Amino acid sequence: YLLDDEVYDKLIDRIPVFAPYIGNLVPVVDKLAPLLPVLVPYIDAIPLSVQREFLKSKSACRTLPAMVKVIPGLRTDLNRTTSSSSIPTSHYPMPKSIVFKINATEKVAVGNEVVVFYRIFLNSGGSRTLRYSSLRTLHKRLEKSIRARNIEWPQKYRMAKLNLPKFPPKTNLGRRLSSQGIEKRRLELEEYLRGLANMPQLLELPIYHTFVQAFVVSSMIPPEYFKRIEEL
């Protein structure tokens, strides 16, 4: 099943969470694959501890395709494809103001490696749990989108004077972040996201518009859905 780059990258980032339970997911892969483009924003919104408890249960995994189809607000989107080349039309309202805050971090052990996830909240509601690599990919795609726009678009629509905020650098290869390093990166990533939020013209770029819209989508998950997951 072919996935667009954005969905693929997000799923790759989730491998540390999914890997121990892949055997439970195999029976539903065929049914779940077509739903992945609309499921991914919801995956970001569900706390990692809840995801792991859900994936431990074979019976819970078998119900996943059916549960996705009945999430309110998602059913009407199942036949809609999202193009990376244009801003998707959606019934999800965009917030009037955008302020990001990273309130928490969570470590996930994968063999001898520890992966850090950052819990990002939007002031108008909604949250997502993302890795540093996901945000780094966002930064690279924003740079690419701006370069393309400045070459291909008429002069008055270009963003030549727009400078993205500095993205936090990677650590040395093979070096783990200490607790202090993780906290430092959390603050740096939060500052970076707030810098993006202060550039409203970025919403004209599909990649950033979709990034923000995913927070809006996540805010629409009803509490009953989390309760249902915890009961399985």
Side-chain angles (χ1 to χ4, degrees), residues 3 16 25-27 31-32 40 44 51 63 78 91 99 109 114 124-125 138 152 166 174 196 200-201 203 221:
L3 300 172
L25 291 168
V26 167
K31 293 181 180 179
L32 198 57
V40 165
D44 289 345
Q51 290 184 37
T63 68
L78 293 179
H91 58 278
V99 179
V114 176
S124 60
L138 170 70
E152 300 168 3
K166 182 180 178 181
L196 295 183
Q201 60 268 54
L203 287 171
I221 304 177

Side-chain angles (χ1 to χ4, degrees), residues 33 36 82 115 117 134 136 149 166 203 207 220-221 231:
L36 288 176
T82 300
V115 178
F117 286 83
S134 291
R136 187 166 179 265
R149 183 169 179 138
K166 182 180 178 181
L203 287 171
I207 184 67
M220 296 182 177
I221 304 177
E231 289 174 348

